[in-house]
Amino acid sequence: AKRELPPIPRAIGIITSSQGAALRDVQSVLERRWPHVRLFLFPSSVQGESAPKELRQALDRAIAFSESSHSLDVLILTRGGGSAEDLSAFNDEALARAIFACPIPLISAVGHEVDFSITDFVADQRAPTPSAAAEMAVPDRAEALGFVSSTVHRMQRQLRSLWRRMVDEFRVHAGMCLMRSPQRRFETYEQRLDLGLGSALRAMASQWQKKQSVAHHWAEILRLSDPSLPLTRGYSLTYRQGERRPLRSVSGLEVGETIETRLSDGRLISCTKEVLPDES
């Protein structure tokens, strides 16, 4: 069965020619995308009669190296483009069987995108070029940093939300526990009583202010309607002697009748000598 490649490899083995362009392409991509990965070269010729055997031997060395000292996470078997004859070493049956039995996930990247070999079909992953194999083997550092940053921010938001929920739940449960206490119940009732009294006092004060305002209003009206008020401005009130209603007209008043005139500081008693109605 085809195996998945590890998401973040720590060590990668490459089987290729030490003089070929494929090695430089792989190194360049790995340095750009994931510079912390360790790269181990297991050199081999990649074309010619001896190439199939050398490739199998390089694969055996890589497996032994991984098992003895450094655990390899991925192997890349690669070479650059060439003719069908140049790529024939990667169609070797013995090499294909060795790749199939390899315990390390292996990427086959032989030639260009249009080139196919038997190793492509037995490997765990096939890449069209050496550079593509390197891109497939490691994550992109910028994308990984962005993913980590967004994950951290998401976790921070979740933790803040969880903390708020825990605080709210604690307050609810703490309040319930306190409410079960007789002393707390008494304090609660006392608080309710205080609130009720305070509310009643505020309502009474409001009503008192309203009634006081109305009283002041009517007091002012009564003051202005006081018949003695005009006397302070030089006016007077005249009554028939013995009556309490002031005279509003000379009509009905007779000569010789006693009248009383009230001023601001006293009264005058006089006798009517003549009644003279206004001519209008």
Side-chain angles (χ1 to χ4, degrees):
K2 302 289 185 179
R3 289 166 295 188
E4 295 292 333
L5 300 178
I8 304 178
R10 293 170 297 177
I12 295 176
I14 179 170
I15 301 173
T16 190
S17 170
S18 60
Q19 305 299 322
L23 177 60
R24 294 191 296 272
D25 292 343
V26 170
Q27 288 176 323
S28 176
V29 172
L30 293 179
E31 179 66 26
R32 172 174 53 84
R33 288 175 61 89
W34 202 251
H36 303 293
V37 70
R38 293 176 297 167
L39 181 62
F40 297 92
L41 173 64
F42 301 93
S44 170
S45 61
V46 292
Q47 67 183 56
E49 293 183 3
S50 63
K53 182 179 179 180
E54 290 186 27
L55 289 170
R56 293 196 305 270
Q57 291 173 344
L59 179 59
D60 291 339
R61 291 198 306 273
I63 295 172
F65 177 80
S66 179
E67 293 175 348
S68 62
S69 55
H70 296 79
S71 178
L72 298 177
D73 299 303
V74 180
L75 283 175
I76 298 176
L77 176 66
T78 186
R79 65 150 290 160
S83 64
E85 184 178 354
D86 293 337
L87 305 179
S88 62
F90 294 88
N91 292 322
D92 181 74
E93 181 181 352
L95 177 61
R97 291 183 181 276
I99 292 173
F100 184 80
C102 178
I104 305 169
L106 188 144
I107 303 172
S108 175
V110 179
H112 297 302
E113 189 168 358
V114 295
D115 298 318
F116 285 91
S117 63
I118 293 177
T119 59
D120 292 336
F121 296 101
V122 295
D124 294 292
Q125 299 289 336
R126 186 254 175 184
T129 63
S131 297
E135 292 179 353
M136 188 181 297
V138 295
D140 182 77
R141 179 175 55 178
E143 293 179 0
L145 289 175
F147 173 77
V148 170
S149 177
S150 63
T151 301
V152 169
H153 290 158
R154 184 171 62 253
M155 291 177 64
Q156 288 176 340
R157 290 194 299 269
Q158 292 174 348
L159 286 174
R160 284 195 293 266
S161 177
L162 177 61
W163 173 254
R164 286 194 293 267
R165 288 201 303 270
M166 291 176 64
V167 170
D168 292 341
E169 291 179 3
F170 173 79
R171 288 174 176 170
V172 170
H173 291 299
M176 293 175 63
C177 292
L178 289 174
M179 287 300 294
R180 295 191 183 100
S181 169
Q183 181 180 358
R184 181 57 183 170
R185 288 186 178 181
F186 175 77
E187 292 175 353
T188 301
Y189 293 144
E190 187 178 22
Q191 290 175 357
R192 290 180 180 176
L193 180 60
D194 289 341
L195 290 174
L197 288 175
S199 178
L201 289 174
R202 286 192 297 272
M204 291 174 63
S206 177
Q207 290 295 324
W208 171 257
Q209 289 177 352
K210 290 180 181 179
K211 292 183 180 298
Q212 192 175 35
S213 177
V214 172
H216 285 314
H217 174 71
W218 284 107
E220 183 66 13
I221 292 176
L222 291 174
R223 187 185 69 82
L224 294 175
S225 62
D226 184 1
S228 63
L229 183 62
L231 302 181
T232 61
R233 299 197 295 269
Y235 295 96
S236 64
L237 294 173
T238 302
Y239 303 84
R240 279 192 174 94
Q241 193 172 26
E243 294 185 0
R244 302 185 62 180
R245 295 181 61 183
L247 293 173
R248 296 178 177 273
S249 171
V250 296
S251 176
L253 189 62
E254 298 178 358
V255 175
E257 191 171 356
T258 302
I259 57 175
E260 180 180 336
T261 302
R262 185 177 177 183
L263 302 174
S264 62
D265 58 349
R267 295 179 298 166
L268 297 175
I269 305 299
S270 56
C271 181
T272 305
K273 295 179 63 177
E274 188 177 4
V275 178
L276 301 173
D278 287 339
E279 296 180 359
S280 57

